[in-house]
Amino acid sequence: MLLAVDIGNTNITLGIFRVSKGKILPKPIKVWRLNTNKTESADKYGRKILDLFDHNNINSADIKAVAIASVVPVLDPIFEDVSFKYLGRKAFFVDEKTSFIKMKYENLNEIGADRIADAVAAYHFYGGPAIVIDFGTATTFDCIDKNGVYLGGVIAPGPLISAEALAKKTSKLPQVEVVKPKRAIGKSTVKGIQSGLYFGYVGLVKEILKRIRSEMDGNPKILATGGLADLIVPEIKEVKKILPDLTLEGIRLVYQNSK
């Protein structure tokens, strides 16, 4: 089995892929999420992962490879240790050097590993042109042309960051949950903030999509992934599919192509 690990700023997503007849099968058979803690030790993460394996009847000895996409550099050596110490495997990292897609980008080492994985998986499964919106801590828009070339994209703060910043930078405004309000006009401070966050964010996504589509050839397929996709996408009719495991699939594909 392959353990794919997507290390984000808010969550660490783990996916198990089964291997059959020497081939890694698509679609993870198990997916788990851990909170990202930048100060946690390799031993704590390792024990958490082994506990997940135990509760799901997975033998750690069956893990033959560990592939990682990380946007949290401080955790890279931690998960290298987890992979070697707890699973007996050398960690494979997705980056601009291991990716097999062509990239038109000024500084290749600046591209997040999760964005590379998203672009690889989107083109592999749906072809191009395509746009992937990843609703995470930051919301990213990644553009792939008809030939599978990564063109770049857009990075915007996610709604959770905006909610946190609003609470921290003001004296009287509270931290609120990001939800879809029933009305745009809020009848309380909390509802007013929720309206601004939600509908403002929907407007942001629509405007960015409009602009990047005008700069791309053809009629790009628009795909979504990330933790807040289910909340936001129903307001964005241009998005055709929500793919919760797209990043894990991309990690799997980059690793598989490296062999």
Side-chain angles (χ1 to χ4, degrees):
M1 291 188 284
L2 166 70
L3 174 63
V5 184
D6 174 20
I7 303 176
N9 287 290
T10 303
N11 294 303
I12 298 170
T13 308
L14 311 168
I16 296 286
F17 290 85
R18 195 181 298 280
V19 178
S20 177
K21 297 179 180 179
K23 293 184 178 181
I24 304 172
L25 301 181
K27 303 297 179 187
I29 60 171
K30 290 286 184 182
V31 175
W32 307 286
R33 283 176 176 80
L34 303 174
N35 291 329
T36 301
N37 185 337
K38 297 177 183 179
T39 63
E40 200 145 88
S41 68
D43 288 331
K44 286 187 177 180
Y45 275 120
R47 286 193 291 270
K48 285 181 180 179
I49 291 171
L50 292 186
D51 285 344
L52 289 171
F53 287 0
D54 288 342
H55 292 153
N56 290 271
N57 297 316
I58 293 173
N59 187 342
S60 61
D62 292 333
I63 303 297
K64 302 304 180 185
V66 179
I68 299 171
S70 171
V71 296
V72 187
V74 71
L75 289 180
D76 292 359
I78 298 297
F79 272 80
E80 280 187 302
D81 287 348
V82 170
S83 181
F84 186 76
K85 183 176 179 180
Y86 286 87
L87 300 172
R89 303 295 170 187
K90 181 179 179 180
F92 170 91
F93 282 87
V94 174
D95 58 24
E96 78 283 358
K97 299 182 183 68
T98 57
S99 173
F100 57 89
I101 61 171
K102 294 180 180 179
M103 291 179 277
K104 290 185 178 179
Y105 209 76
E106 292 178 0
N107 297 304
L108 294 180
N109 62 356
E110 291 180 356
I111 305 176
D114 54 346
R115 300 179 71 188
I116 293 172
D118 286 346
V120 165
Y123 186 73
H124 177 83
F125 289 112
Y126 298 96
I131 299 167
V132 181
I133 312 173
D134 193 333
F135 293 91
T137 307
T139 296
T140 57
F141 299 71
D142 293 298
C143 306
I144 308 100
D145 73 10
K146 65 180 180 180
N147 298 313
V149 177
Y150 179 80
L151 301 175
V154 175
I155 303 171
L160 296 179
I161 288 179
S162 299
E164 184 179 337
L166 198 60
K168 285 185 176 180
K169 296 296 183 179
T170 59
S171 299
K172 296 184 70 175
L173 298 182
Q175 177 85 44
V176 302
E177 182 184 3
V178 179
V179 298
K180 179 182 178 179
K182 293 180 180 179
R183 298 165 48 89
I185 300 174
K187 298 293 187 180
S188 69
T189 299
V190 167
K191 290 178 180 178
I193 295 171
Q194 289 174 328
S195 179
L197 289 170
Y198 185 84
F199 294 117
Y201 198 72
V202 168
L204 176 150
V205 173
K206 287 184 175 182
E207 180 65 18
I208 290 174
L209 274 178
K210 176 184 173 182
R211 289 178 179 272
I212 61 179
R213 289 176 78 183
S214 72
E215 297 176 12
M216 295 178 68
D217 293 330
N219 184 26
K221 306 170 189 69
I222 302 174
L223 312 169
T225 191
L228 292 177
D230 287 331
L231 178 65
I232 304 296
V233 166
E235 296 288 326
I236 316 292
K237 61 180 177 59
E238 294 87 351
V239 177
K240 300 306 179 186
K241 284 183 178 294
I242 298 176
L243 305 162
D245 300 324
L246 188 71
T247 310
L248 293 176
E249 292 273 14
I251 296 170
R252 188 263 303 175
L253 287 164
V254 173
Y255 171 78
Q256 198 166 344
N257 188 75
S258 72
K259 300 303 164 186

